[in-house]
Amino acid sequence: MTSMEMYSGSVDRQQNAAAEQARIRLDAGLREWGGQRSALAADDLGRNPLRRVPRGWPEGTATRVEVAAREACVIDEQGARTEASRLLWSATAKLVGAAVALGVPLAILIALVAGS
């Protein structure tokens, strides 16, 4: 293994670890958001439901969640397009394979019925 490959592997591991930490922050932020929404929508709201949540909670929580979501993504836009294209071709190949796999027994069955 060359030093460049070792460095690249190290960088990938660091990026994945950072993305995992961001995913954990994202989950926590979404749980916080859900809890605060539940507090606002509780049955016994009273006259001022906003006293149940911190001031500025929607903007602050949304910003934290958005940043965590961006940091949790280890693939860039070009990589996402490439992956989407690869998945599309893979799905197309699987569908063609399934059609062929279904077509062969069907052709045999038709041949047997037509030959009788």
Side-chain angles (χ1 to χ4, degrees):
M1 185 180 271
T2 67
S3 63
M4 190 61 173
E5 289 171 335
M6 287 177 22
Y7 174 75
S8 177
S10 174
V11 168
D12 287 344
R13 281 190 298 279
Q14 289 174 354
Q15 285 178 334
N16 288 338
E20 181 61 21
Q21 290 299 316
R23 189 193 62 77
I24 291 168
R25 287 193 313 275
L26 176 62
D27 287 344
L30 292 174
R31 279 193 306 276
E32 177 188 351
W33 180 271
Q36 291 171 350
R37 279 192 63 219
S38 295
L40 279 176
D43 288 336
D44 57 341
L45 287 177
R47 290 192 305 207
N48 184 8
L50 294 177
R51 64 180 161 65
R52 296 174 179 254
V53 295
R55 181 179 299 279
W57 76 269
E59 297 85 11
T61 303
T63 301
R64 284 194 310 277
V65 167
E66 181 182 349
V67 168
R70 243 184 283 116
E71 290 173 352
C73 185
V74 294
I75 190 168
D76 62 356
E77 190 173 331
Q78 180 59 39
R81 275 195 227 114
T82 302
E83 184 68 11
S85 175
R86 187 187 68 76
L87 290 173
L88 176 65
W89 283 109
S90 175
T92 303
K94 287 180 181 182
L95 288 173
V96 168
V100 168
L102 179 64
V104 170
L106 191 59
I108 293 172
L109 181 65
I110 291 172
L112 288 174
V113 171
S116 298

